Amino acid sequence: MISSRAVVLLVFCLSSIPKSLGFVERSWAESIALANETVNLMTLDEKIGMVRGVGQFSSRCVGNISPPSRSFIVSGTNITIPPLCFNDGPAGIRLGGSNVTGFPPAINVAATFNRDLMYSRGVAIGEEFRGKGIHVYLGPAVDIMRNPKAGRAWEGFGPDPYLGGEGAYQTIMGVQSVGVSACTKHLGPYNQEHWRYGLNAEVDDRTFRELYWWPFMKSVEANVSALMCAYNEVNGTSSCHNAALIGDEGYLRTEGFQGFVVSDWGATHDTAADNANAGLDMEQPGDWILIGGGVYSGLEAAVDDGEVTEARLNQMVTRILTPWLRLGQDQGYPDINFNAQDPDGTDSLNLNVNVRTDAHTALVRQIGSASAVLLKNNRTTSDGTATGTTIRGLPLSKDIKTIAVVGQDAQQLNLDCGGGLNECNDGTMVIGWGSGSNNVEFTVPPIDAITDFAQGFATISSDITSNDLTGGPAVAEGKDLAIVFANAMSGELGFYNIVDGNEGDRNDLNLWWKGGSLIEDVAAVCNNTVVVIHSVGPVPMSSWNTHPNITAIIYAGAPGEQTGPSLVDVLWGAVNPSGRLPFSIDDDEASYGTSIVYGIDPFPVLDYTEGLFLDYRYMDSQGITPVYEFGYGLSYTTFAYSSLSIEASASSGSVSFILTNTGSFDGTEIPQLYLGFPSSAGEPDKVLRGFDNVFLASGAKETVTIDISQKEMSIWDVVSQEWVVPSGTFNVYIGASISDIRLTGSFTA
Ligand code: BGC
């Protein structure tokens, strides 16, 4: 068994190369000073060029600006500002020409509960963006999965703000470590695709701070260069014109954010003065694109008329230049070498520079296996021992001789669909569609990886060209093992990227292409059926998950391009699964306490009346037991928890316990810390406030310590407008999931 920690460290070393890139990071203060001096030398036209996009179809990147055509010498430094290239997106390069890696989206990184992998993925993505000459990575996306059908929820880290905050922090630290700017999106709450261009999210101050804002707060802590405001309105005002969010007295500036705010593409709906005075520093893509945009064409006139002061314009430009200087992008940054207007990569401006590396491929495979969540495993072995030859269940042994692979989700996906934009669900699902997708130019599908691996010891029969309810079971009947694949997909709303009738948000929670029926029909004829689900979020499972012939279920999420190899690693036990659900799985949407507003009337008001109660927090409060709960996931081994000790005051906490691998396989456990606030605080009963990722050889034990910061034990006090630690008794729950609590203690603050 490979030690997952050893692999993480290896990949980490290979990827961690900023110093050799030959740039020197500056402090914020030094960068601000240089930026100010530079701005003081610019003409009005030059400043306007810095804050306006060049137009949707006038750039080699998805966004760009017109920098001054001359250089400046300030404090002995030559400042030559290039066109600043902005490109999608959160899961690696999209529209960046060929030879890029198809990283898994954030929802799978969240399922690893592994900060090292979150960071390493950020470094690897940053290296690819830098290699293509992209200055600003349009990610991470940290939108909370308010409802499981939300089209872009897989771009982010799920419904829990703490997990999302850790994911955002590590991603940004990784990306920016190689000198690429990150841009966290989309502020404020942006949680569904239908009506996104104008719906109004009504959310109270406390809910906003504690849930939706939390990952942005962590982004600021990670020194993120930019934040993107969303299309929709928040509490009655468009996000990009919302001073309460982006103004000097708003959330992000009072939190200490020193970078710039850029609009989502076409998310400006008001006048130049409205947006600039509210706090919007840059408009993209710069022209009107049917849904909005183009308002900064009026900015120069607004400055001339005095509606926007020149001091404010200077501030906008300073905020754009500062992170560019801070990350040393003035020192030998690669030129833009691709053309985002040419998705096929055939245009002469697309040099198709190869930014793929073996280390990136290995990392994607590692994240794929580390994010696979083992939901069920009824294992039997020939001699009845844990280490005996497997007859049924996982990990598989090479004594399994006849294998059926069933379901179209096992086969190569359609790499050409939507002009290379992944706008279909045709083959295996590795990532959703829309701007959060990546090039998806190279994928190793499950059927190829399984066939390769099984060569020499097993025969593979398959029925994977459709989810044929006759052909699939026919192939599965009489085999030692059937592996049945099913999926569900969603994506971003666009103008025409409606996939099988789903306009971004999923129409329902169901598996696509009769996946549920296929699973049931295969299980009916093969008493060793292993189910693999590729999905962007929860899908119903209760009609088949307890079927006695279904010996194992793997929820593999959206694993990126190395989907097949990463699955093989888990199936045959090269990797002991340690993925945990970053959301709860239930059949019934009502269990989540929220809904998607489809409707027919333009621009609805969405009332976030559920407040702090999303996903497991809601289910817990309502006594709802989901099919599989948040934080849940099995291993091929077992772990025991003992000896809890808590040291805590009102300003910090430290929780220790002993973790022992009590089974016969080496493996990784994800201990989770849930905090129960004093009852007067009005919090859900348990909220995630810590986790770790601990590899232990069989029989080994380790003392694990999880620290809790003051903010993590605080609530947002709407009266004092501060984070406040409520006084009273805090319960501390250490568990293997939200429902599988192994140790309980308390402290008083
Ligand atoms: C999306 C953003 C994306 C931008 C540029 C918008 O439609 O909402 O997430 O970064 O397009 O492609």
Side-chain angles (χ1 to χ4, degrees), residues 105 107-108 145 148 154 409 425 429-432 486-490 506 509-512 532-541 554-559 583 585:
I107 197 67
N108 270 53
M145 183 189 271
W154 52 272
D409 178 71
N425 181 1
M429 202 288 292
V430 296
I431 192 166
N487 74 25
M489 193 178 184
S490 68
R506 285 190 279 164
L509 289 176
N510 292 336
L511 287 163
W512 287 36
V532 178
I533 301 295
H534 287 124
S535 174
V536 287
V539 293
M541 296 190 179
I554 296 176
Y555 181 87
F583 42 72
I585 292 184

Side-chain angles (χ1 to χ4, degrees), residues 77-386:
T77 306
N78 179 322
I79 307 276
T80 307
I81 309 164
L84 292 184
C85 177
F86 293 71
N87 224 66
D88 291 307
I93 293 173
R94 176 173 184 265
L95 299 177
S98 297
N99 301 323
V100 303
T101 302
F103 292 92
I107 197 67
N108 270 53
V109 191
T112 68
F113 282 76
N114 182 325
R115 292 182 182 84
D116 291 342
L117 288 177
M118 293 168 176
Y119 178 82
S120 300
R121 172 177 168 273
V123 173
I125 288 176
E127 286 169 355
E128 299 208 355
F129 275 66
R130 188 180 179 97
K132 295 276 183 183
I134 302 164
H135 299 87
V136 182
Y137 153 73
L138 296 176
V142 298
D143 304 309
I144 295 278
M145 183 189 271
R146 178 170 178 254
N147 180 279
K149 294 185 300 182
R152 298 181 74 179
W154 52 272
E155 288 187 41
F157 299 88
D160 185 79
Y162 177 83
L163 184 55
E166 298 306 291
Y169 184 90
Q170 297 298 338
T171 304
I172 294 162
M173 293 303 283
V175 167
Q176 296 196 164
S177 75
V178 294
V180 175
S181 275
C183 174
T184 305
K185 61 190 189 181
H186 311 78
L187 184 72
Y190 159 45
N191 308 107
Q192 69 165 56
E193 293 307 288
H194 283 78
W195 308 118
R196 71 168 177 167
Y197 298 120
L199 67 78
N200 176 25
E202 283 284 339
V203 57
D204 67 83
D205 185 30
R206 178 168 172 189
T207 301
F208 182 57
R209 285 275 184 177
E210 293 190 22
L211 278 187
Y212 300 95
W213 167 252
W214 187 281
F216 287 95
M217 179 185 82
K218 293 294 292 185
S219 302
V220 174
E221 232 177 274
N223 286 311
V224 73
S225 292
L227 297 179
M228 185 190 289
C229 47
Y231 286 117
N232 53 276
E233 294 184 357
V234 181
N235 297 330
T237 308
S238 161
S239 295
C240 295
H241 166 207
N242 196 318
L245 297 179
I246 62 175
D248 280 352
E249 305 305 321
Y251 291 101
L252 62 97
R253 295 292 172 194
T254 52
E255 202 79 50
F257 176 58
Q258 302 187 76
F260 64 95
V261 178
V262 58
S263 71
D264 198 345
W265 271 229
T268 36
H269 309 293
D270 306 281
T271 67
D274 285 339
N275 288 103
N277 291 334
L280 180 71
D281 301 309
M282 180 190 287
E283 183 192 47
Q284 285 293 349
D287 47 3
W288 183 72
I289 56 166
L290 301 178
I291 51 177
V295 308
Y296 276 7
S297 58
L299 189 57
E300 188 153 357
V303 174
D304 285 341
D305 294 351
E307 283 180 279
V308 175
T309 64
E310 189 142 5
R312 168 64 188 133
L313 180 62
N314 290 349
Q315 182 186 54
M316 292 158 71
V317 183
T318 300
R319 286 170 171 172
I320 292 164
L321 269 185
T322 298
W324 178 77
L325 289 161
R326 196 185 84 81
L327 292 176
Q329 292 189 344
D330 59 322
Q331 304 156 37
Y333 204 83
D335 290 336
I336 302 167
N337 53 46
F338 68 100
N339 183 7
Q341 311 300 334
D342 164 44
D344 298 337
T346 50
D347 181 287
S348 63
L349 290 178
N350 240 329
L351 306 187
N352 295 316
V353 168
N354 184 11
V355 291
R356 291 179 65 89
T357 66
D358 291 348
H360 295 179
T361 309
L363 177 65
V364 171
R365 178 172 180 166
Q366 189 188 359
I367 296 172
S369 55
S371 58
V373 187
L374 183 64
L375 297 178
K376 174 180 180 179
N377 193 16
N378 286 354
R379 183 165 181 262
T380 46
T381 56
S382 51
D383 59 2
T385 68

